[in-house]
Amino acid sequence: MNSQSSPSLRQALTPSDNDSSPERKALLAEIDASCRRPVLFMFANGLLWLMAGTALALLTSYKMHSPNFLADWSWLTFGRVRPAHLNTMVYGFASQVAIGVAIWLMCRLGRVPFMQGGLVVGATIFWNIGVTVGIVGILAGDSTSIEWLEMPGYAAYILFIAYALIAIWAIIAFRFRRERHLYVSQWYLLAALFWFPWLYSAANMMLVIDPVRGTVQGAVNWWFAHNVLGLWFTPIGLAAIYYFIPKVIGRPIHSYFLSTLGFWSLALFYNWAGIHHLIGGPMPAWLITVSVVASMMMIIPVVTVAINHHMTMVGHFKKLKYSPTLRFIVFGAMSYTVVSLQGSSMAIRSLNEVTHFTHYTIAHAHLGVYAFFTMVMFGSMYYIVPRLALREWPSARLISIHFWTTALGILLYVVPLSVGGVLQGLAMNNPDIPFLKTVELTKPYLVTRTFAGILMTVGHTVFAVNFVWILARRRKAYQPPVPFIAAGLQQEAGAQLGKDI
Amino acid sequence: MLIYIIILAGSFVFLTGSALLALRWALRTGQLRDSRRTALLVFDEDEPVGRMTDYFPGRPLPPTDPASPSISK
Amino acid sequence: MKYGPLLFLGIFLTLASSWVGLTVIPQMQFGGLQTTKIEETGRDYPLNTWGAASKGRELYRANGCIYCHSQQVRPQGFGADIERGWGTRRSVSRDYLYDKPVFLGTMRTGPDLTNIGQRQPSVDWHLSHLYDPQITSKGSTMPPYRFLFEQRKIGAKPSPDALKLTGEFATPPGYEIVPTENAKDLVAYLLSLRADAALLEAPLGK
């Protein structure tokens, strides 16, 4: 039989003959097994929130051009649904999946099984209770109206404690790693796992629990909100890219030196950039200037990372056709370059004068959180889930649909809305144009966004179906040791395999 | 005003100093050498360099990929 | 590299630097800013919101007005905020001394509200606008806030507060639309939004 199969899981799950280092060999399967419950549990909950957040997103988007829709119930008024959408996606979906991916990567790279999976499942339940309480709080009118931190204080306590209980085990996995050498992904993961609780607790302390005075709140707010993206999602996204591109195509990263340079320049510059959200605002000039400079300096890590990833991929782009993980990851990596350079440009005062306060910023935010981070997380899940569930994705077609609907959906979202945003900004800066005209001219772009949203909703639904399907498949047919079959030979090769083993 | 200058100057000296110390340490202990080895950490005997590890389930594999062994002969 | 603690030290120091630089130092620099006396009127500025206006402020927060309305006027020559009449001068830190949280905002789907109390002082206008923005601003994408109003049968005497609605917005005969306390509080808050006093650091027109 000349059919080929994916070697990875098969090799991971069955001991090979020429066993030179037995401890390490056993570990890949052992690691995956130890991560199975907590990580799959996080992914499942994350996907539930993804679906909820998608519904809220569609509702928000629809309301933006049809304001009378479901407007008469206070719980569903625009100003509550919008932050509910953001917080569902950020804390329910993105952060939760990110933690799952981080745990798995941390264990794989450290070659150490995950400890206390059961305890982490408990903490994850606690985390989800926190998100639920927070979202209900926002819808009920308890939103703090502090962007990216809308969840009321009581939910923030739950989230923080739950986070600490989960993250401590990822740090412990790092501390007791059996592979002492560190790969760059571990740098990013360790940093993110440490930066997030600092950001979250400091911002909550200074804004919600015991607010500082006046516009200092603005500074704290954007130090936090910008860094949630820059020091929490971005490092985990980059850690995944640095792992999966080499891993999937089977070629080491182009330049390891560049990757360390990228890490330190990101760590140095990203966290100073947040106050560019307040250009022209009532802040001291030095504070804004510092952030503009830091935003410009961000070009260094971004270009470094872009070159490194591109050079790694060169000659291997054909593999995009064959690997779902690679498709999503490379799409995300390219988006990272685009969104970061765009972000730096938006800190230039003359451009900021136009794009600030418009839909351009919204498009930019989705390019970052969705086209970069979410797509990378999707890619990571396509790689991780089969290895934890010990079976292959049931439907390749659904994966294809997922990729194309979300990739085209986010493009259809970002490109028109950016154009609309620039037009809106230009009109707004021309005092001869009545304000209502600036509202009127954005409507077609807002309607387009709703269509883009529908497309992305299809993608998410399809992904959720595939996810439920892979978990719900009957285990009986997959008695371990499970040889893993990738190519279209489940049927006939299954019988063949029976003879082989 | 003086207090800001002291804080700023202090943190500048502290940050620059620690960065320089870290650099010196890295150079002395050879951290910047042999980065090729570190780049190989994601691979092992089971999944060595040159082997692709992710495919669409049930679809044809890349025709020339030497990394895909056949299941049976 | 295999030296975790050193890596951790770098991770710690980088965030520590920005935390100090972007939050602690601003707090030291202008976190203790005080009110000032306006020379012409002899009154303190800014004044804290109180009574109905401070209840209205909570409604502004709860219903997320910030997602479409900013409360900051950019300086003359940067954008057209002053030309549009959104303010008579740029906003400065002192304007926000009592605001918890500050509603600076990052989006202008709707106009800036820094000075809405001076720009549109009519209570009736605000109530009609909240009940259905199309009454006062045709083509607006602001949602109606009917949950701040009550439709009820006209009793022995029509309520003095009832909205005067005509044409396509008219209520069924025998009914009237009456603003709830919440609607009145919110309008009181909007009317309290005025940043029209010249300050030493922000003279009018700049």
Side-chain angles (χ1 to χ4, degrees):
Chain A
M1 200 180 125
N2 63 351
S3 304
Q4 298 165 315
S5 78
S6 159
S8 56
L9 279 159
R10 172 189 165 87
Q11 302 253 337
L13 297 168
T14 54
S16 68
D17 305 331
N18 52 345
D19 208 336
S20 52
S21 58
E23 192 200 10
R24 177 178 291 189
K25 296 244 171 187
L27 273 174
L28 273 188
E30 196 189 330
I31 291 163
D32 288 347
S34 68
C35 288
R36 183 169 305 144
R37 278 171 64 210
V39 173
L40 282 181
F41 187 66
M42 284 173 197
F43 287 176
N45 280 297
L47 284 186
L48 273 177
W49 287 114
L50 175 70
M51 296 315 291
T54 308
L56 288 165
L58 269 184
L59 186 57
T60 310
S61 179
Y62 193 78
K63 277 166 168 287
M64 280 225 84
H65 50 78
S66 307
N68 285 317
F69 183 69
L70 288 181
D72 293 346
W73 189 34
S74 62
W75 283 53
L76 292 184
T77 192
F78 174 83
R80 298 190 190 180
V81 177
R82 183 195 181 283
H85 153 66
L86 184 141
N87 283 273
T88 308
M89 289 307 200
V90 167
Y91 299 99
F93 164 65
S95 293
Q96 189 157 224
V97 170
I99 295 172
V101 170
I103 286 176
W104 184 83
L105 282 175
M106 212 50 140
C107 294
R108 270 231 166 177
L109 287 164
R111 299 305 172 105
V112 61
F114 192 58
M115 281 173 278
Q116 297 297 342
L119 201 136
V120 169
V121 168
T124 308
I125 294 174
F126 202 45
W127 172 274
N128 284 287
I129 291 174
V131 177
T132 312
V133 168
I135 300 300
V136 172
I138 290 171
L139 292 176
D142 261 358
S143 158
T144 61
S145 266
I146 299 165
E147 286 191 76
W148 290 72
L149 211 62
E150 283 93 347
M151 286 198 188
Y154 46 81
Y157 285 115
I158 307 180
L159 285 184
F160 185 79
I161 294 169
Y163 175 84
L165 290 175
I166 299 170
I168 191 75
W169 295 103
I171 305 276
I172 286 174
F174 173 83
R175 175 69 186 77
F176 293 100
R177 65 191 186 276
R178 292 180 194 167
E179 168 61 69
R180 297 311 294 176
H181 283 90
L182 289 174
Y183 186 63
V184 68
S185 294
Q186 283 159 294
W187 299 25
Y188 281 111
L189 293 173
L190 184 69
L193 289 169
F194 173 73
W195 282 332
F196 177 72
W198 187 338
L199 290 167
Y200 193 70
S201 58
N204 267 301
M205 278 304 296
M206 297 173 88
L207 293 175
V208 181
I209 293 157
D210 184 16
V212 289
R213 206 163 191 208
T215 48
V216 182
Q217 294 170 72
V220 178
N221 189 180
W222 288 108
W223 168 78
F224 167 77
H226 197 76
N227 283 347
V228 170
L229 196 63
L231 300 185
W232 172 234
F233 291 139
T234 300
I236 292 186
L238 289 179
I241 296 175
Y242 270 116
Y243 181 79
F244 284 116
I245 288 185
K247 188 72 181 165
V248 170
I249 67 176
R251 180 194 200 187
I253 195 78
H254 170 70
S255 159
Y256 191 79
F257 177 73
L258 272 187
S259 65
T260 61
L261 179 68
F263 174 81
W264 288 113
S265 48
L266 178 126
L268 267 179
F269 300 132
Y270 215 138
N271 59 57
W272 283 87
I275 317 298
H276 67 215
H277 287 266
L278 295 170
I279 294 176
M283 305 300 276
W286 70 266
L287 203 51
I288 290 169
T289 306
V290 160
S291 277
V292 173
V293 172
S295 307
M296 290 302 132
M297 297 301 279
M298 272 304 292
I299 293 173
I300 298 174
V302 170
V303 170
T304 313
V305 165
I307 292 175
N308 213 358
H309 290 163
H310 182 80
M311 294 307 287
T312 309
M313 277 302 291
V314 160
H316 294 260
F317 280 102
K318 264 183 293 180
K319 291 180 176 169
L320 288 173
K321 185 167 173 238
Y322 301 101
S323 161
T325 298
L326 197 61
R327 267 193 208 180
F328 280 96
I329 298 272
V330 168
F331 186 94
M334 288 174 163
S335 303
Y336 174 68
T337 311
V338 174
V339 75
S340 304
L341 295 179
Q342 185 195 23
S344 294
S345 76
M346 286 164 75
I348 300 171
R349 282 173 207 262
S350 52
L351 287 181
N352 184 276
E353 187 181 359
V354 176
T355 60
H356 196 23
F357 300 121
T358 71
H359 294 294
Y360 190 86
T361 313
I362 310 293
H364 171 70
H366 283 82
L367 193 58
V369 181
Y370 196 93
F372 158 49
F373 184 72
T374 302
M375 292 301 257
V376 168
M377 287 301 110
F378 285 154
S380 310
M381 287 163 88
Y382 274 118
Y383 195 91
I384 297 171
V385 171
R387 283 162 177 77
L388 302 190
L390 294 183
R391 65 205 85 159
E392 194 51 270
W393 286 103
S395 165
R397 170 163 299 180
L398 291 185
I399 300 176
S400 270
I401 298 176
H402 179 206
F403 177 76
W404 288 110
T405 47
T406 48
L408 293 176
I410 192 64
L411 287 179
L412 186 64
Y413 182 119
V414 168
V415 176
L417 201 62
S418 302
V419 174
V422 170
L423 294 178
Q424 181 193 8
L426 289 172
M428 203 155 11
N429 287 347
N430 179 352
D432 299 331
I433 298 178
F435 187 81
L436 273 171
K437 277 265 159 48
T438 71
V439 175
E440 193 63 44
L441 75 88
T442 57
K443 280 183 189 170
Y445 303 99
L446 297 175
V447 174
T448 312
R449 173 182 41 195
T450 299
F451 280 108
I454 292 172
L455 214 51
M456 288 146 84
T457 308
V458 171
H460 298 163
T461 313
V462 156
F463 183 41
V465 167
N466 224 359
F467 185 80
V468 171
W469 197 354
I470 192 175
L471 293 190
R473 272 191 163 183
R474 282 170 56 232
R475 216 168 245 280
K476 211 175 73 187
Y478 295 89
Q479 289 298 327
V482 188
F484 228 77
I485 304 155
L489 31 111
Q490 266 95 341
Q491 305 303 324
E492 75 267 33
Q496 289 273 353
L497 272 168
K499 279 180 233 155
D500 278 7
I501 292 169
Chain B
M1 201 57 215
L2 187 68
I3 187 92
Y4 305 128
I5 295 173
I6 292 173
I7 290 173
L8 282 174
S11 45
F12 176 78
V13 169
F14 182 61
L15 287 171
T16 317
S18 43
L20 287 175
L21 281 178
L23 185 66
R24 200 181 73 146
W25 170 85
L27 286 171
R28 286 205 170 174
T29 53
Q31 300 294 328
L32 300 177
R33 264 177 264 140
D34 194 22
S35 57
R36 171 85 188 161
R37 192 190 171 291
T38 321
L40 290 172
L41 282 174
V42 298
F43 304 100
D44 58 20
E45 296 88 345
D46 289 333
E47 300 178 350
V49 173
R51 177 169 296 171
M52 215 175 145
T53 61
D54 184 62
Y55 300 98
F56 272 101
R59 287 201 184 157
L61 295 183
T64 55
D65 192 347
S68 314
S70 56
I71 298 173
S72 51
K73 303 273 152 59
Chain C
M1 168 159 166
K2 52 182 176 179
Y3 200 56
L6 192 83
L7 178 62
F8 182 78
L9 188 68
I11 289 168
F12 174 84
L13 285 179
T14 43
L15 186 60
S17 75
S18 83
W19 180 67
V20 170
L22 297 186
T23 75
V24 176
I25 291 184
Q27 167 66 12
M28 291 164 67
Q29 188 194 357
F30 54 97
L33 205 61
Q34 294 301 320
T35 54
T36 183
K37 251 197 175 50
I38 303 288
E39 282 187 19
E40 299 96 76
T41 56
R43 286 166 66 183
D44 280 339
Y45 181 87
L47 295 172
N48 204 349
T49 43
W50 56 283
S54 84
K55 283 189 216 154
R57 193 170 202 285
E58 290 299 291
L59 285 157
Y60 191 94
R61 172 190 58 72
N63 292 300
C65 304
I66 189 188
Y67 299 105
C68 293
H69 297 283
S70 59
Q71 285 189 25
Q72 51 172 312
V73 177
R74 293 187 285 180
Q76 180 73 266
F78 194 74
D81 300 9
I82 291 176
E83 287 90 333
R84 281 197 178 276
W86 285 340
T88 46
R89 60 166 173 81
R90 67 165 300 177
S91 300
V92 289
S93 283
R94 206 186 301 275
D95 294 327
Y96 304 88
L97 282 190
Y98 291 109
D99 292 2
K100 285 178 185 178
V102 287
F103 295 132
L104 289 172
T106 50
M107 186 67 189
R108 284 176 178 168
T109 307
D112 187 88
L113 297 182
T114 309
N115 209 23
I116 187 68
Q118 191 193 35
R119 289 201 288 125
Q120 183 47 273
S122 158
V123 174
D124 287 344
W125 186 93
H126 279 292
L127 287 173
S128 310
H129 182 245
L130 285 173
Y131 176 71
D132 191 338
Q134 305 302 326
I135 298 174
T136 54
S137 320
K138 189 91 191 119
S140 164
T141 51
M142 174 162 148
Y145 290 89
R146 297 217 179 82
F147 55 84
L148 299 176
F149 297 83
E150 221 181 311
Q151 175 169 334
R152 62 181 184 212
K153 265 205 169 80
I154 300 179
K157 257 201 281 180
S159 163
D161 291 342
L163 299 189
K164 296 160 197 71
L165 301 167
T166 51
E168 56 179 308
F169 306 104
T171 36
Y175 287 87
E176 60 183 2
I177 302 290
V178 186
T180 62
E181 281 307 307
N182 282 346
K184 292 182 197 166
D185 291 344
L186 186 53
V187 172
Y189 172 64
L190 291 173
L191 293 184
S192 78
L193 290 176
R194 317 168 64 99
D196 48 357
L199 297 177
L200 201 61
E201 68 268 35
L204 296 184
K206 295 245 172 101

